[in-house]
Amino acid sequence: MAGKLKNGWKGRDVISSLDFTRESFELLFNASEEFAEGARARARARSDLLRGKVVATAFFEPSTRTRLSFSSAAAKLGASVIDLSTEVSSLAKGESFSDTLAMLDSYSDIIVLRHPSEGAALYASEICKHPVVNAGDGSQHHPTQAMLDLFTILRLKGRVDGLNYLFVGDLRYSRTVSSLLFALTRYKPGRVTLTSPPALGLKPETRSVLVRYGMSVREEQNIERSVESADVIYVTRLQKERIPDQVEYQKLKGSYRLTEGLLEATKADCIVMHPLPRTEELPTSLDASPKAAYMRQAGFGVPVRMALLSLILGVA
Amino acid sequence: MAGKLKNGWKGRDVISSLDFTRESFELLFNASEEFAEGARARARARSDLLRGKVVATAFFEPSTRTRLSFSSAAAKLGASVIDLSTEVSSLAKGESFSDTLAMLDSYSDIIVLRHPSEGAALYASEICKHPVVNAGDGSQHHPTQAMLDLFTILRLKGRVDGLNYLFVGDLRYSRTVSSLLFALTRYKPGRVTLTSPPALGLKPETRSVLVRYGMSVREEQNIERSVESADVIYVTRLQKERIPDQVEYQKLKGSYRLTEGLLEATKADCIVMHPLPRTEELPTSLDASPKAAYMRQAGFGVPVRMALLSLILGVA
Amino acid sequence: MAGKLKNGWKGRDVISSLDFTRESFELLFNASEEFAEGARARARARSDLLRGKVVATAFFEPSTRTRLSFSSAAAKLGASVIDLSTEVSSLAKGESFSDTLAMLDSYSDIIVLRHPSEGAALYASEICKHPVVNAGDGSQHHPTQAMLDLFTILRLKGRVDGLNYLFVGDLRYSRTVSSLLFALTRYKPGRVTLTSPPALGLKPETRSVLVRYGMSVREEQNIERSVESADVIYVTRLQKERIPDQVEYQKLKGSYRLTEGLLEATKADCIVMHPLPRTEELPTSLDASPKAAYMRQAGFGVPVRMALLSLILGVA
């Protein structure tokens, strides 16, 4: 149908950033823009867009931020949310994942899934007749986070192309990093730099995807050197449990912390992003800086997810 | 009032299948039919039917399927759900059941209750001014499950009367089995056959209700013989904890499993139902068979509960 | 803006009963009156008042009654609720309170907060751009409970001024008691009497606030004497964990129990209030008495919170 041809979003699953073209992203961001900017009168009109629709959230791994921003997005569009999460522990001993998915599929219009296992969202999309949105699975994919990250860059820097990107922290297990890198293959980024402890560098699988799409990245272990030319610094947590040697961990933690001194060494219009929650890698003393973009980034989760839900459910 | 005389549903409690006449069931199924079939335009209109109404769900025993299908039904009609379940554990050490019910009664328009104790729903209906819907209590009553089971039979077989029914598995502790049997006393079923381990046969209390209503059932321990003439096979789980001897359990489990071979021995237009969740008694290899009705059965939970909520709240 | 000048409620935080004038209370109670009395047709119209608005509930301490009555109030006005509570345990080990608040602030239009720490709501109101409603923090403040308590008195006694008040039980750690006492400083109560075990009397800080506002209270340890002249008896729980000596606790428990005998000794038109949940201090044998106001009091939680939400969000 026309709508479908036009936007490619209606009724589709969202499994990986790699499933989307630049044009699809741009269509999404145009819609997000409207939701972000809406006047009060329009906010009220929008509260009717998804009236009667049911969004199922199924979080087999906790994620306050992602779950609540999807819930808020649904609410602002007039949709209702049914939430499986509280039962997850009892499911553990109970029914099969595929029977659980079939149940959600028959009770809702769209399923938002978070799962610890690689490939869970793709598997779910094969079971479910309704669209499945991957809200994070395994260690590589979290496409809606990548979408709100790109939208943040567009809003705050005006463009995605030609900027220098720096990724700092745990690049191995962070699905937000790999998802954003995958999404960037649809654009023409400037220099992409990776700064991480050696043991927490990009996975070979992730790297080979980037190579396939002709995107080159370079490694730079010295954070003082790497921050200088960045337009966008994307920081992630070092997770204690990833580094078996605790003496080593304490040392590493310090070296991947974005201090005020480092922030001063960045370009005047550089922005600092972080998927949150944060621990010590991003001191609260940075929050007042105009370079600190992470709180605005989190806030963009709502309009981007509003756009996503309404495009997929065919009303935007 | 006229509406009340006409349908007998408005404002009423739903405690047991035995509380309803065939006419009441038929009225419910006509309404369910409309909710199951609604065109998209009508779906939108319906999303306004219960606007401003509050449905309280109070599950003192977990039940993902029942809770979420009530939540989905409420959402599709524009009602909101307030859910006590997350607090149940803290209630355990806290206030009395009757004070908790009085609280829910003053915050909502209808209370959907699941409770492990026999008679809990009836007790609740005496405390609450608003209607109480029994979403399963004790080991005998789960009337809304019986309703969706009957609706499934009507939809897939065209009638309830004159069909041969076979119940397989734990017939002693399964409240879905006794509730459906009670509901069938309002119809004219053909042969009703029970196949279960001797220790898990119908309770004497259940059997005496059937006798009182003139419904005869026969027992047949050989599942191969019993499947042959059935039009509707209703399977339930054997629960490990019901059978103290684990060697015995392993043996029994095998004998009450609906294998592909058994399914082939059934009539060509036989349907297989199950309240779900399932364990090994119903292998997933059956799912593709046109005889497998259990997934459609689960899906009918939503329109039947939509009909129920709207009839009781006086808007259908 | 005019609305703001007129009512002083629009966009404001609700931290303590002491933040409000008598005029503000009266405006709230007039709005509550409408929500309590609404005809069915108006109930439907009201279900549109907060359409598209998102209320975040963040309970860092369980409180079924407060949380569900806010949820019910939001639902009846057409607002949606996003609830942080289920994640609270995981938050304990995770992100900072202020980052969590910033997240809620960007996902919702108003934040309803319950927290064990003194001053948590005030702190939250400094972090959040949206209004924060204190649903109980520390041991002194629970202003919306005080509001529904005053509304109950107004409805059942016709006035707040000139009545004799008796507070019985744990007056030291009960934030409902101090909040109502603070609110009463805006009125002209008759005699205010306190009856509690010596170790559980009013905190000096609470007492000094009362003194500052010129409200005198007197202590009377003999409950038989203190009930005689009361128009309003406000009972609270003695909490076992507050009294280290368990022999002492058993003795105290009996002395602060409102028995049928004591109730008979009260004035004919006296009312008994309790914030609930109750334990043994208020036997269920009193429930049938016309003097027992606590169930109606709990029910008034919904209209008062409806009024509060709609005044703050600027639609009442």
Side-chain angles (χ1 to χ4, degrees):
Chain A
M1 105 193 42
K4 184 145 191 175
L5 289 173
K6 208 179 101 219
N7 74 41
W9 278 94
K10 192 167 173 180
R12 78 175 295 172
D13 301 307
V14 176
I15 307 303
S16 159
S17 321
L18 291 167
D19 302 341
F20 296 86
T21 61
R22 180 167 179 151
E23 288 64 38
S24 295
F25 282 136
E26 283 169 357
L27 201 137
L28 177 75
F29 299 143
N30 287 340
S32 306
E33 195 71 40
E34 277 181 57
F35 288 122
E37 295 300 342
R40 186 169 297 220
R42 282 157 65 208
R44 215 172 150 71
R46 280 172 349 210
S47 71
D48 228 30
L49 273 180
L50 295 187
R51 187 150 57 88
K53 297 286 185 190
V54 178
V55 176
T57 53
F59 279 65
F60 288 81
E61 207 183 64
S63 172
T64 309
R65 217 160 228 97
T66 305
R67 186 180 70 78
L68 288 184
S69 72
F70 267 110
S71 299
S72 176
K76 288 184 184 197
L77 296 165
S80 300
V81 174
I82 61 172
D83 179 38
L84 182 72
S85 314
T86 48
E87 276 93 356
V88 161
S89 55
S90 70
L91 284 172
K93 28 188 169 114
E95 94 180 318
S96 71
F97 184 44
S98 89
D99 276 11
T100 300
L101 289 167
M103 168 184 69
L104 291 177
D105 195 31
S106 70
Y107 295 167
S108 67
D109 297 295
I110 188 168
I111 295 105
V112 177
L113 177 74
R114 158 74 58 117
H115 202 281
S117 306
E118 213 77 49
L122 183 62
Y123 176 75
S125 74
E126 284 158 8
I127 305 275
C128 295
K129 287 191 291 281
H130 291 104
V132 169
V133 175
N134 185 359
D137 71 349
S139 66
Q140 284 201 297
H141 298 294
H142 191 352
T144 68
Q145 177 73 40
M147 290 166 190
L148 79 90
D149 290 343
L150 283 180
F151 184 69
T152 303
I153 297 163
L154 269 174
R155 288 277 294 211
L156 302 186
K157 301 294 297 175
R159 62 197 166 107
V160 172
D161 295 335
L163 301 176
N164 293 333
Y165 293 86
L166 166 63
F167 291 84
V168 175
D170 172 358
L171 310 183
R172 184 171 183 79
Y173 298 103
S174 164
R175 50 191 165 207
T176 60
V177 167
S178 50
S179 286
L180 180 52
L181 283 168
F182 292 160
L184 282 174
T185 64
R186 273 55 182 147
Y187 288 81
K188 298 183 181 64
R191 209 157 48 210
V192 178
T193 308
L194 312 175
T195 296
S196 71
L200 296 177
L202 274 197
K203 282 186 180 171
E205 308 91 279
T206 307
R207 188 179 296 270
S208 73
V209 170
L210 300 182
V211 169
R212 193 186 326 143
Y213 287 104
M215 190 168 122
S216 63
V217 296
R218 61 182 199 107
E219 278 166 19
E220 169 56 71
Q221 289 205 28
N222 184 321
I223 193 169
E224 277 155 49
R225 259 202 301 277
S226 62
V227 296
E228 281 173 15
S229 59
D231 298 298
V232 175
I233 302 178
Y234 199 99
V235 186
T236 62
R237 263 172 306 160
L238 288 195
Q239 286 167 291
K240 213 172 180 170
E241 60 275 26
R242 303 294 187 199
I243 301 140
D245 181 337
Q246 287 308 304
V247 177
E248 182 67 9
Y249 170 71
Q250 292 305 328
K251 220 165 48 190
L252 287 172
K253 210 177 56 172
S255 354
Y256 297 91
R257 181 179 160 93
L258 198 67
T259 59
E260 286 170 84
L262 280 170
L263 194 68
E264 267 172 44
T266 62
K267 289 166 130 184
D269 60 352
C270 161
I271 60 169
V272 177
M273 297 174 68
H274 190 296
L276 302 180
R278 60 175 154 182
T279 50
E280 296 162 63
E281 69 283 358
L282 208 57
T284 54
S285 58
L286 307 186
D287 294 4
S289 164
K291 295 176 179 176
Y294 35 88
M295 289 296 175
R296 284 169 287 169
Q297 177 189 2
F300 288 138
V302 176
V304 171
R305 285 170 175 131
M306 287 173 81
L308 188 86
L309 291 174
S310 47
L311 283 169
I312 294 175
L313 292 171
V315 299
Chain B
M1 104 193 43
K4 185 146 192 173
L5 289 174
K6 207 180 102 218
N7 74 42
W9 278 93
K10 191 167 175 182
R12 79 176 294 172
D13 300 307
V14 176
I15 307 302
S16 158
S17 321
L18 290 167
D19 301 342
F20 297 86
T21 61
R22 178 165 180 154
E23 287 65 37
S24 295
F25 282 137
E26 283 169 356
L27 202 137
L28 178 75
F29 299 143
N30 287 340
S32 306
E33 194 72 39
E34 277 180 56
F35 288 122
E37 295 300 342
R40 185 168 298 218
R42 282 155 66 206
R44 218 174 148 70
R46 283 176 341 215
S47 72
D48 228 30
L49 273 181
L50 296 187
R51 188 150 56 88
K53 298 285 185 189
V54 178
V55 176
T57 53
F59 279 65
F60 289 81
E61 208 183 63
S63 171
T64 309
R65 215 159 230 99
T66 305
R67 186 180 71 78
L68 288 184
S69 71
F70 266 110
S71 299
S72 176
K76 288 183 184 198
L77 295 166
S80 299
V81 174
I82 62 172
D83 180 38
L84 182 72
S85 314
T86 46
E87 275 94 356
V88 162
S89 55
S90 69
L91 284 172
K93 26 188 172 119
E95 92 180 320
S96 72
F97 184 44
S98 88
D99 276 12
T100 300
L101 289 167
M103 168 185 67
L104 292 176
D105 196 30
S106 70
Y107 295 167
S108 67
D109 298 294
I110 188 168
I111 295 106
V112 177
L113 177 73
R114 158 73 58 116
H115 203 280
S117 305
E118 213 76 49
L122 183 62
Y123 176 75
S125 74
E126 283 158 8
I127 304 275
C128 296
K129 287 191 289 284
H130 291 104
V132 169
V133 175
N134 185 359
D137 71 349
S139 65
Q140 284 200 298
H141 298 293
H142 191 353
T144 68
Q145 177 72 41
M147 290 167 191
L148 78 90
D149 290 344
L150 283 181
F151 184 69
T152 303
I153 297 164
L154 269 174
R155 288 277 296 209
L156 303 185
K157 301 293 298 175
R159 62 197 165 108
V160 172
D161 295 334
L163 300 175
N164 293 333
Y165 294 86
L166 167 64
F167 291 85
V168 175
D170 172 358
L171 310 183
R172 185 171 183 78
Y173 298 102
S174 164
R175 49 190 165 208
T176 60
V177 167
S178 50
S179 286
L180 181 51
L181 283 168
F182 292 160
L184 283 174
T185 64
R186 274 55 183 147
Y187 289 83
K188 298 183 180 65
R191 210 156 47 211
V192 178
T193 308
L194 311 175
T195 296
S196 73
L200 295 177
L202 274 197
K203 281 185 179 171
E205 308 90 281
T206 307
R207 189 179 295 271
S208 73
V209 170
L210 301 182
V211 168
R212 191 187 327 142
Y213 287 104
M215 190 168 123
S216 62
V217 297
R218 61 181 199 108
E219 277 166 19
E220 168 56 70
Q221 289 205 30
N222 184 322
I223 194 171
E224 277 156 48
R225 259 201 302 276
S226 62
V227 296
E228 281 172 16
S229 59
D231 296 299
V232 175
I233 302 178
Y234 198 99
V235 186
T236 62
R237 263 171 305 160
L238 288 195
Q239 287 168 292
K240 214 172 180 169
E241 59 275 26
R242 303 295 188 199
I243 300 140
D245 180 338
Q246 287 308 304
V247 177
E248 181 69 8
Y249 170 70
Q250 292 303 329
K251 221 164 48 190
L252 286 173
K253 212 178 55 174
S255 356
Y256 296 89
R257 182 179 160 94
L258 198 68
T259 59
E260 287 171 84
L262 280 171
L263 195 68
E264 267 173 45
T266 62
K267 287 167 129 183
D269 60 352
C270 162
I271 61 170
V272 177
M273 297 175 68
H274 190 295
L276 304 179
R278 61 175 154 182
T279 50
E280 297 163 61
E281 69 283 358
L282 208 58
T284 55
S285 57
L286 306 186
D287 293 5
S289 163
K291 294 175 179 177
Y294 34 89
M295 288 296 175
R296 284 171 286 170
Q297 177 189 2
F300 288 138
V302 176
V304 170
R305 285 170 176 132
M306 288 172 80
L308 188 86
L309 291 174
S310 47
L311 283 169
I312 293 175
L313 292 171
V315 299
Chain C
M1 104 194 42
K4 184 146 193 174
L5 288 174
K6 208 180 100 220
N7 74 42
W9 279 93
K10 191 167 174 181
R12 77 176 296 171
D13 300 307
V14 176
I15 308 302
S16 158
S17 321
L18 291 166
D19 302 341
F20 296 86
T21 61
R22 179 166 179 153
E23 288 64 39
S24 295
F25 283 137
E26 282 169 357
L27 201 137
L28 178 74
F29 300 142
N30 287 341
S32 307
E33 194 70 39
E34 278 180 56
F35 288 122
E37 295 300 340
R40 186 168 297 219
R42 281 155 67 206
R44 216 172 150 72
R46 283 176 342 215
S47 71
D48 228 31
L49 273 181
L50 295 187
R51 188 151 56 87
K53 298 285 185 189
V54 178
V55 176
T57 53
F59 278 65
F60 289 81
E61 208 182 63
S63 170
T64 309
R65 216 159 229 99
T66 305
R67 186 180 70 78
L68 288 185
S69 71
F70 267 110
S71 300
S72 176
K76 288 183 184 196
L77 295 166
S80 299
V81 174
I82 61 171
D83 179 38
L84 182 74
S85 314
T86 46
E87 276 94 356
V88 162
S89 55
S90 70
L91 284 172
K93 26 187 171 118
E95 97 181 315
S96 72
F97 184 45
S98 88
D99 276 11
T100 300
L101 288 166
M103 168 185 69
L104 291 176
D105 195 31
S106 70
Y107 295 168
S108 67
D109 298 294
I110 187 168
I111 295 105
V112 177
L113 177 74
R114 158 73 59 116
H115 202 281
S117 305
E118 213 76 48
L122 182 62
Y123 176 76
S125 73
E126 284 158 8
I127 304 276
C128 295
K129 288 191 290 284
H130 291 104
V132 169
V133 176
N134 186 358
D137 71 349
S139 66
Q140 285 201 297
H141 298 293
H142 191 354
T144 68
Q145 178 72 41
M147 290 167 190
L148 78 90
D149 290 343
L150 283 181
F151 184 69
T152 304
I153 297 164
L154 270 175
R155 288 278 294 210
L156 303 185
K157 300 294 296 175
R159 63 198 167 107
V160 172
D161 294 334
L163 301 176
N164 293 333
Y165 294 85
L166 166 63
F167 291 85
V168 175
D170 172 359
L171 311 183
R172 185 172 183 77
Y173 298 103
S174 165
R175 50 191 164 206
T176 60
V177 167
S178 50
S179 286
L180 181 52
L181 283 168
F182 292 159
L184 282 175
T185 64
R186 275 54 183 146
Y187 289 82
K188 298 183 181 66
R191 209 159 46 212
V192 178
T193 308
L194 312 175
T195 296
S196 72
L200 296 176
L202 274 197
K203 281 186 181 171
E205 307 91 279
T206 307
R207 189 179 295 269
S208 74
V209 170
L210 301 183
V211 168
R212 193 186 327 143
Y213 287 104
M215 191 168 123
S216 63
V217 297
R218 59 181 200 109
E219 278 166 19
E220 168 55 72
Q221 288 205 29
N222 184 319
I223 193 169
E224 276 156 49
R225 260 202 299 278
S226 62
V227 297
E228 280 173 16
S229 60
D231 297 299
V232 175
I233 302 179
Y234 199 99
V235 186
T236 61
R237 264 172 305 161
L238 288 195
Q239 287 167 291
K240 214 173 180 169
E241 58 276 24
R242 302 296 188 199
I243 300 140
D245 180 338
Q246 287 308 304
V247 177
E248 182 68 8
Y249 169 70
Q250 292 303 329
K251 221 165 48 191
L252 288 173
K253 213 178 53 175
S255 354
Y256 297 90
R257 181 179 161 95
L258 200 68
T259 59
E260 286 171 85
L262 280 171
L263 195 68
E264 266 172 45
T266 62
K267 288 167 132 184
D269 60 352
C270 161
I271 61 170
V272 177
M273 299 175 66
H274 191 295
L276 302 180
R278 60 175 154 182
T279 50
E280 297 162 62
E281 68 283 357
L282 209 58
T284 55
S285 58
L286 306 186
D287 294 3
S289 163
K291 295 175 179 177
Y294 34 88
M295 289 297 175
R296 283 169 287 169
Q297 177 189 2
F300 288 138
V302 176
V304 171
R305 286 171 175 130
M306 288 172 81
L308 188 86
L309 292 174
S310 47
L311 283 169
I312 293 175
L313 292 171
V315 300

